[in-house]
Amino acid sequence: MCLFIRLFKVVIWPFCVCWSKTRIVRSEIAGNRRCAAFFIQLGFSCLVSISLSAQYEAVLHKPYNEKLAWIDSTYRKVTGIRNQKQARQIAREIAAFGKNNNDRELELEGELLEAYYLYSTDPKKGEAVVGLLKDIARKGKEARKISIEARAVKVLSDFYWNDLKDYETGFEFLLQVDQLLESTTAREFPNSTRYYYDIGEAHYFFKDYEAAARYLKKALQFPADSFNWTSVWAATNTLGLYFQKQNRLDSSDYYFEKALLSPFVKPGQIYHSIIQGNLGYNHYLRNNFDQALPLIKADYDKAIEVGDWGLAAGAAIPIADIYLQKRRFNEAFDWIKSARKLVAASGQDHRLTLLYPVIRKWHQQMGNLQLAESYLDSTLTAKEAENNKFNALLLLRAQQRVDHLKILGEREKVVLSEKLRKTQLVALLATFLCIAGGAYALFRHQRRRYREKQKLHRELLQHTADALRDARTQLVNLAADIAEKNRLIEELENTGAPVPLETLTALRESVILTDEDWISFQKAFETGNPGYLYRLKEKVPGITPAEIRLLTLSKLHLSHKEMASALGVSSQSTRVTWHRLRKKLNLPEDIGLEDFAAGI
């Protein structure tokens, strides 16, 4: 082929040009210019045809994995073209070349390239692109070309997930991708690694961590190469974060170190600094502050360098806490200010749930107990706002699921109606038998569903009773534990014998309920006292979080001193809070805190 091209350029093409020029001269004399123009156009068409043949000949009838580099390069080149007509023309040339040479996969590759170009560049993409991609996926399935079908379905998933925020439909297409990946291998279809990672990330987005971990581990079944290494790195890093959330720090370290050892990750890259920061955060969680600090600072510096304010904020918060615990208060305050600015710049308000507790501890160390208490309220408010966002996201997905099922149901009704009409035309008797059989099957199905529903209802009642009993036991144990520790503190203080200050301090701090303890306590309290918090907020409009905590602890029959110990404040503070609440509600002096809490 190369020899033929050279022969054409050196001999045939000059001959055509010279001959055509001669024809032009003669045609001018004869008054017939059309003949000369025809020969020039014919020669040019031959050159273009041979040029295209040479360009696409190398990938003709080749399996997907052998032409992956060419496909990747072609997609990057075409999607970078601003002229839509020119870009689509290239895609159609590829499809035409594949069709003319009986290469169905290359033909569909051209069609998929055109659809992907429209998806990537057309701001008005919508049902037209969806229709093109569905049609290409169908053709790929019919031709048994998984590389075409799977990639078309994946683009559909990206469109619904990223552009329309229709998560339920996006999940449906991801499920189709997952099923297609089961019938191929990473060697045949190198995109498997990226697709398994994307499926895992989709589950991680909705905090379905167990399912996410399964798919992320599938992504790691395949060795990293120049095509998929970023997906392998990202899956490894996310698995490290998953085990970090589970507080399985040794397993988390294993995956972070594995990501750090990737031959494609070099020091100075953002990938390298992110892993350093994650390893540093594990040291921070273990209270190994000297090991944590340089790693997290390196992550912070790189994030500032590349302008990733969210990543920088995530690093600044533990650094501030480390300096606070090292009692280097001025440096801690500087990092707190930096973290606040970075959170605001990034717009990632969820990081406030980690920042506010650090600010609260700083004010406690400075003796600003009132400000410390206000930041405890801010922490609870931030966590509640974050939970509300996630609940709204779950509600959106649930509504999408309902709408999706409704559409499917309407489609099924149309199909059934059409089948019924055709069946009636064939034989009324057959229709009657089908209806009778369907009615009987429906009756059996409804009866089975009713029995299953009754069984589930009984199991739910038993589960609710067990949860109520466990929650009340947990609350009783908590109250007893607080009372016992307070009694022990009093005994140590009243013995007259010298007691190490560290012992008393540790004992007092063990009584204080942390932010995590409060969240667990509130869940257990609401389970053990169903509707109590709702009735309390109805009876006392505008009640503050501090007043809620006071009343819920009083409900456990704790004394002012025991409640103060659990809240980390003075007994006088709890009395002041009760006095304000009583004044707000105009309660008589003879009504005690415990009586009021019990009467809600």
Side-chain angles (χ1 to χ4, degrees):
M1 176 61 73
C2 293
L3 181 61
F4 179 75
I5 293 172
R6 290 178 182 176
L7 182 64
F8 182 87
K9 289 181 178 180
V10 174
V11 180
I12 301 175
W13 174 246
F15 173 78
C16 289
V17 173
C18 293
W19 189 77
S20 61
K21 286 181 179 179
T22 303
R23 294 290 299 174
I24 290 173
V25 174
R26 292 179 180 177
S27 64
E28 286 177 348
I29 296 172
N32 186 8
R33 299 174 182 269
R34 294 180 182 178
C35 184
F38 169 76
F39 281 108
I40 291 176
Q41 185 175 3
L42 177 63
F44 182 74
S45 298
C46 290
L47 180 62
V48 170
S49 177
I50 293 175
S51 177
L52 288 177
S53 298
Q55 184 179 359
Y56 305 137
E57 187 78 33
V59 295
L60 194 63
H61 298 294
K62 292 290 180 65
Y64 176 73
N65 58 346
E66 292 184 18
K67 59 188 176 186
L68 181 61
W70 175 83
I71 290 174
D72 186 53
S73 172
T74 302
Y75 270 66
R76 291 176 186 275
K77 172 185 172 183
V78 172
T79 53
I81 298 174
R82 293 186 178 182
N83 187 318
Q84 187 180 105
K85 183 177 180 181
Q86 181 183 355
R88 297 180 73 176
Q89 180 62 31
I90 294 174
R92 291 174 181 177
E93 286 173 358
I94 295 172
F97 185 82
K99 183 176 181 180
N100 293 337
N101 289 275
N102 198 29
D103 188 338
R104 181 60 169 160
E105 186 169 350
L106 188 60
E107 178 185 355
L108 292 176
E109 193 66 61
E111 294 183 18
L112 180 57
L113 174 58
E114 182 176 1
Y116 184 78
Y117 177 83
L118 294 175
Y119 164 75
S120 303
T121 61
D122 189 351
K124 298 180 181 179
K125 60 181 177 288
E127 289 301 319
V129 174
V130 170
L132 279 174
L133 290 167
K134 287 183 176 179
D135 187 51
I136 293 168
R138 177 187 59 78
K139 292 176 181 177
K141 183 176 182 178
E142 291 173 353
R144 296 183 179 180
K145 304 297 182 184
I146 289 182
S147 66
I148 298 294
E149 183 184 1
R151 288 157 61 215
V153 174
K154 182 59 169 59
V155 177
L156 282 167
S157 171
D158 292 342
F159 174 68
Y160 280 101
W161 187 282
N162 298 323
D163 295 81
L164 301 184
K165 306 303 179 186
D166 184 349
Y167 300 111
E168 190 57 32
T169 306
F171 259 120
E172 180 188 358
F173 283 116
L174 280 177
L175 179 61
Q176 291 185 35
V177 172
D178 184 26
Q179 292 172 343
L180 289 169
L181 294 180
E182 293 297 325
S183 59
T184 185
T185 65
R187 181 179 178 83
E188 297 170 344
F189 187 59
N191 303 60
S192 298
T193 304
R194 172 61 188 272
Y195 289 2
Y196 276 131
Y197 166 70
D198 287 344
I199 297 172
E201 280 294 302
H203 286 284
Y204 201 89
F205 178 73
F206 279 100
K207 299 184 179 180
D208 186 359
Y209 297 126
E210 297 302 323
R214 288 198 303 273
Y215 283 104
L216 293 170
K217 288 178 180 177
K218 283 186 177 183
L220 298 185
Q221 294 174 355
F222 317 115
D225 54 36
S226 58
F227 176 74
N228 68 8
W229 75 266
T230 53
S231 300
V232 173
W233 177 89
T236 309
N237 180 58
T238 305
L239 273 171
L241 295 174
Y242 160 75
F243 284 110
Q244 190 180 79
K245 285 181 178 294
Q246 304 293 320
N247 200 33
R248 296 164 61 182
L249 299 183
D250 289 341
S251 297
S252 180
D253 282 344
Y254 168 78
Y255 282 102
F256 288 147
E257 289 167 359
K258 186 176 180 181
L260 198 63
L261 293 174
S262 170
F264 298 95
V265 174
K266 307 298 181 184
Q269 291 180 324
I270 188 67
Y271 304 102
H272 189 273
S273 64
I274 287 173
I275 297 298
Q276 280 188 310
N278 290 338
L279 284 168
Y281 200 82
N282 280 357
H283 282 300
Y284 163 73
L285 293 176
R286 295 187 178 100
N287 294 327
N288 298 333
F289 299 138
D290 291 334
Q291 293 94 323
L293 201 55
L295 293 173
I296 302 177
K297 276 188 174 180
D299 187 25
Y300 172 85
D301 292 339
K302 191 64 180 180
I304 293 294
E305 179 186 331
V306 301
D308 191 332
W309 311 130
L311 183 62
I317 294 170
I319 292 174
D321 192 34
I322 289 172
Y323 279 122
L324 183 60
Q325 300 204 46
K326 284 176 169 287
R327 306 187 68 79
R328 293 162 65 175
F329 301 120
N330 291 336
E331 291 167 280
F333 185 69
D334 290 340
W335 281 101
I336 286 172
K337 288 193 299 182
S338 176
R340 296 195 75 156
K341 291 178 182 178
L342 290 167
V343 169
S346 67
Q348 297 178 1
D349 293 342
H350 66 276
R351 296 190 184 277
L352 294 174
T353 59
L354 299 175
L355 177 59
Y356 283 152
V358 177
I359 300 176
R360 172 175 169 261
K361 286 193 289 184
W362 188 87
H363 282 297
Q364 280 182 330
Q365 293 292 337
M366 295 296 101
N368 303 325
L369 297 182
Q370 188 172 0
L371 279 173
E373 185 175 346
S374 70
Y375 273 100
L376 175 60
D377 295 340
S378 298
T379 301
L380 295 174
T381 302
K383 287 183 177 179
E384 184 177 358
E386 187 63 23
N387 289 335
N388 288 340
K389 286 182 182 178
F390 183 69
N391 291 336
L393 190 63
L394 290 178
L395 184 62
L396 172 64
R397 185 186 171 193
Q399 183 60 50
Q400 290 174 350
R401 184 181 292 114
V402 171
D403 295 341
H404 185 65
L405 292 174
K406 184 177 180 181
I407 292 172
L408 290 178
E410 290 174 353
R411 289 177 181 172
E412 289 178 0
K413 286 180 181 179
V414 172
V415 172
L416 289 174
S417 176
E418 183 66 20
K419 286 183 178 180
L420 180 60
R421 186 185 66 81
K422 291 180 179 179
T423 304
Q424 287 174 336
L425 293 175
V426 175
L428 291 176
L429 180 59
T431 303
F432 171 76
L433 292 175
C434 288
I435 293 174
Y440 179 71
L442 180 63
F443 169 74
R444 292 281 304 270
H445 177 68
Q446 292 289 354
R447 185 171 64 176
R448 184 169 60 254
R449 286 189 60 187
Y450 174 77
R451 290 176 179 174
E452 291 174 352
K453 188 175 180 180
Q454 290 294 102
K455 181 181 178 182
L456 288 173
H457 181 65
R458 289 194 298 270
E459 290 176 353
L460 181 60
L461 289 176
Q462 183 61 43
H463 176 73
T464 302
D466 292 342
L468 181 62
R469 182 180 63 255
D470 293 342
R472 288 177 175 172
T473 301
Q474 184 179 348
L475 292 174
V476 169
N477 291 340
L478 175 64
D481 184 59
I482 292 172
E484 176 61 22
K485 288 180 178 179
N486 273 279
R487 184 189 63 77
L488 182 58
I489 291 170
E490 288 180 358
E491 287 182 1
L492 291 173
E493 289 175 340
N494 296 331
T495 54
V499 179
L501 179 60
E502 293 81 3
T503 302
L504 281 175
T505 302
L507 192 55
R508 289 192 183 101
E509 289 180 350
S510 69
V511 179
I512 298 175
L513 297 178
T514 64
D515 296 343
E516 290 78 12
D517 294 336
W518 271 114
I519 294 173
S520 300
F521 168 77
Q522 190 170 355
K523 289 181 180 178
F525 185 89
E526 185 62 21
T527 303
N529 301 272
Y532 185 90
L533 295 179
Y534 175 80
R535 296 193 301 273
L536 178 60
K537 291 177 181 178
E538 262 197 335
K539 189 166 185 176
V540 188
I543 188 170
T544 66
E547 292 167 346
I548 291 175
R549 292 194 294 274
L550 185 68
L551 288 170
T552 52
L553 287 176
S554 180
K555 179 74 175 174
L556 301 184
H557 307 293
L558 297 179
S559 67
H560 275 285
K561 186 171 183 178
E562 291 167 345
M563 287 187 288
S565 297
L567 294 171
V569 298
S570 64
S571 299
Q572 181 62 26
S573 295
T574 62
R575 289 188 171 85
V576 168
T577 302
W578 167 234
H579 174 74
R580 289 175 181 168
L581 180 60
R582 184 164 54 192
K583 187 175 180 181
K584 184 190 300 184
L585 297 175
N586 294 321
L587 297 175
E589 292 289 334
D590 58 344
I591 293 183
L593 172 59
E594 189 169 331
D595 295 333
F596 178 76
I600 299 299

